[in-house]
Amino acid sequence: MFDALCPSRQALSHVTGRWAPLVLTSLTEAPMRFAALRRAVGGISDRMLSQTLQQLEADGLVIRDVQSAIPPAVQYHLSDPGQRIAMKIRELIDVVYEELPGIMAHRTTS
Amino acid sequence: MFDALCPSRQALSHVTGRWAPLVLTSLTEAPMRFAALRRAVGGISDRMLSQTLQQLEADGLVIRDVQSAIPPAVQYHLSDPGQRIAMKIRELIDVVYEELPGIMAHRTTS
DNA sequence: CGGCATCCGAATGGATACTG
DNA sequence: CAGTATCCATTCGGATGCCG
């Protein structure tokens, strides 16, 4: 992973991007549609949500279910690998949350 | 965390940036000096390593030990919160590694 | 050795408008 | 509803050079 040329670096950068962690964590709760995801992940734009989902789908972490044509109704849910990765991200987020008071305090004092 | 204005978002983005995960994971092994970190994290530039370390230090996750003046000898090591977060990142990296074959295979077939 | 300052191209990402 | 296309501002990040 510490080799710059290892493909794992690309996979990791997809997962640790700005939006992917939040999208993956949202999807651990339940399968969601586009608009629901946009609501769940505060501040994300259509463009970034679409792009993030495409990337996660390309890596096989998210599965895209097109249910009809007019009007479009598309569900997204985690694949098995996606579920495992998302769980770890959720744990990471939980730890960050626990340490948040200390982090905030440190920023003001330094 | 899903609120765009929550400060946890900023803390998370620091931890999930391109370089921070690799730096944090490197430091779980042992305290390291600047040059050693640059060697450990393949592909990182002086600028980004310096910037990443400053950010992690500002959040209180990494501690900077200046040991002498001429020549400068600076050790970096994880604080207790940093250690906890770094552990979770390491677990995440491990899972990504395990799923890597599937991810690579999925990319070529889709 | 361990950085910081500057420059500059590349990538990120938001707003808006548009489509089936 | 679920995106795509275009434009544009901001940021990222590498190369280089310099300093104590």
Side-chain angles (χ1 to χ4, degrees), chain A residues 19-40:
Chain A
W19 299 114
L22 299 171
V23 170
L24 287 172
T25 307
S26 293
L27 288 174
T28 58
E29 310 274 2
M32 293 177 94
R33 297 178 58 175
F34 192 89
L37 273 170
R38 187 178 40 207
R39 244 172 292 119

Side-chain angles (χ1 to χ4, degrees), chain B residues 25-26 28-29 85-95:
Chain B
T25 307
S26 293
T28 58
E29 310 274 3
I85 291 175
M87 289 289 287
K88 282 301 168 193
I89 292 176
R90 175 174 281 274
E91 293 176 23
L92 171 62
I93 288 179
D94 288 345
V95 172

Side-chain angles (χ1 to χ4, degrees), chain B:
Chain B
M1 182 67 78
F2 294 96
D3 182 352
L5 277 57
C6 179
S8 63
R9 284 281 282 269
Q10 198 178 7
L12 182 66
S13 73
H14 289 168
V15 163
T16 62
R18 177 168 173 192
W19 300 114
L22 299 170
V23 169
L24 287 172
T25 307
S26 293
L27 288 175
T28 58
E29 310 274 3
M32 294 177 92
R33 298 178 58 176
F34 191 89
L37 274 170
R38 187 176 43 205
R39 245 173 290 119
V41 181
I44 196 171
S45 66
D46 284 1
R47 188 187 195 277
M48 284 303 109
L49 178 54
S50 174
Q51 197 168 304
T52 302
L53 286 170
Q54 282 180 26
Q55 207 152 52
L56 293 174
E57 190 195 358
D59 284 0
L61 305 183
V62 162
I63 298 171
R64 188 168 179 270
D65 306 319
V66 180
Q67 295 173 328
S68 77
I70 304 275
V74 183
Q75 283 264 5
Y76 295 92
H77 68 90
L78 295 176
S79 70
D80 215 46
Q83 185 75 35
R84 293 191 61 211
I85 291 175
M87 289 289 287
K88 282 301 168 193
I89 292 176
R90 175 174 281 274
E91 293 176 23
L92 171 62
I93 288 179
D94 288 345
V95 172
V96 171
Y97 239 115
E98 290 171 23
E99 304 295 348
L100 196 56
I103 292 173
M104 300 292 292
H106 190 272
R107 273 199 233 170
T108 58
T109 59
S110 66

Side-chain angles (χ1 to χ4, degrees), chain A:
Chain A
M1 181 68 75
F2 294 96
D3 182 352
L5 278 57
C6 180
S8 63
R9 285 281 283 267
Q10 198 177 7
L12 182 66
S13 73
H14 289 167
V15 163
T16 61
R18 175 167 174 192
W19 299 114
L22 299 171
V23 170
L24 287 172
T25 307
S26 293
L27 288 174
T28 58
E29 310 274 2
M32 293 177 94
R33 297 178 58 175
F34 192 89
L37 273 170
R38 187 178 40 207
R39 244 172 292 119
V41 181
I44 196 171
S45 64
D46 283 1
R47 188 187 194 278
M48 282 304 107
L49 179 53
S50 174
Q51 204 167 75
T52 302
L53 285 170
Q54 282 179 25
Q55 206 153 53
L56 293 175
E57 191 195 358
D59 284 358
L61 304 183
V62 162
I63 298 171
R64 189 169 177 271
D65 305 319
V66 180
Q67 295 173 330
S68 76
I70 305 275
V74 184
Q75 283 265 3
Y76 295 91
H77 71 268
L78 295 175
S79 69
D80 214 48
Q83 184 75 37
R84 295 192 59 211
I85 290 174
M87 289 289 287
K88 281 299 168 193
I89 292 176
R90 174 175 281 276
E91 293 177 24
L92 171 61
I93 287 178
D94 288 344
V95 172
V96 171
Y97 239 115
E98 291 170 24
E99 305 294 349
L100 196 57
I103 292 173
M104 300 291 290
H106 191 272
R107 273 198 233 172
T108 59
T109 57
S110 65

